[in-house]
Amino acid sequence: MKLIQILKVAVIPVLAVFSCLSISNIALADYLNSEGTGGNYRYQLWTSDDNSNYYLKIWSSEASSESKAYTTSYFASSREALIYFDCNYAKKNLPECRQ
């Protein structure tokens, strides 16, 4: 009888805490931040839930958004990602492109 009470008091709360922690990690997801076009390409800028990672998915302008991205690149900021797209795919003449 004492063993059952110990299990109820000690083990069940510990399991509940571990379950909550694992569910919170599973629930993290990326979300679409912005979309745009330039040159013969279009992009989607995705952000992690904690805004620590950004990645740019790039397609040919004719490709379906359901198709696999032409390329995917990772960045530390959304600004860095969009400058990369503008300089390398949209072929804009920005001061940042000359660096």
Side-chain angles (χ1 to χ4, degrees):
M1 189 64 143
K2 291 265 186 194
L3 180 60
I4 293 174
Q5 289 176 337
I6 291 172
L7 287 174
K8 285 181 182 177
V9 171
V11 175
I12 293 174
V14 169
L15 290 175
V17 168
F18 283 127
S19 296
C20 290
L21 291 175
S22 65
I23 288 171
S24 67
N25 286 336
I26 292 170
L28 292 177
D30 295 342
Y31 61 93
L32 182 60
N33 191 323
S34 66
E35 296 179 277
T37 60
N40 295 323
Y41 299 92
R42 59 188 177 77
Y43 71 85
Q44 291 181 339
L45 178 62
W46 290 81
T47 309
S48 61
D49 269 352
D50 60 0
N51 290 327
S52 65
N53 297 304
Y54 298 85
Y55 59 99
L56 198 59
K57 290 185 174 184
I58 300 172
W59 290 267
S60 165
S61 57
E62 296 89 30
S64 161
S65 57
E66 303 300 319
S67 65
K68 184 177 177 183
Y70 168 73
T71 185
T72 303
S73 301
Y74 298 88
F75 301 91
S77 71
S78 59
R79 181 179 187 278
E80 183 183 337
L82 295 176
I83 289 171
Y84 174 82
F85 179 83
D86 286 343
C87 294
N88 294 291
Y89 291 92
K91 303 297 183 196
K92 291 185 179 178
N93 189 15
L94 303 174
E96 293 89 344
C97 298
R98 295 184 209 113
Q99 296 178 357

